[in-house]
Amino acid sequence: MNGDTRAPARPQVLLTIAVVVIALIAAGTFGFSALLLGSGFAAGPPAAPGTSVVLWVLSGAALAAPVALLPTLGFPVRRRTSLVVAVAVVVTAALVGVLGLNQD
C-alpha cells in the first residue's frame, strides 16, 4: 500500500465553461479589433501592422487559455501537453489572422 490517500481531482466543469466563455469573448474582441486595424476600414489607410499582429497574438492567447488551464481545472491532461497545444493554438490563430484575415 502506498501512503497516498487523496482522491483523484474531479474536473471542474462549470468553472471550465466559465473560462471558455470569457476566453471566447476576449478572443472575439481582440480579433475584431485586429481585423479593423489590419484592413482599410472606412476607406482609410490601415493602421500600423504591428498593432494588428499584437492583437491577433492576444486573440490566440485568449483562445489558448482554456487549453493551458485544463490540468489546473482537474482534467487528466499532462501539463506539458496542454502547454504545447496552447502554444500551437496561439501560433495558428495569429498566423490565420495576420495572413488570412487582414486585408492589405
Side-chain angles (χ1 to χ4, degrees), residues 41-93:
F41 179 67
T51 307
S52 179
V53 171
V54 168
L55 287 172
W56 280 120
V57 170
L58 286 174
S59 178
L63 288 175
V67 176
L69 289 175
L70 284 177
T72 306
L73 294 169
F75 288 89
V77 179
R78 291 183 179 167
R79 183 166 302 280
R80 181 178 176 137
T81 303
S82 68
L83 291 177
V84 167
V85 172
V87 168
V89 169
V90 172
V91 170
T92 302

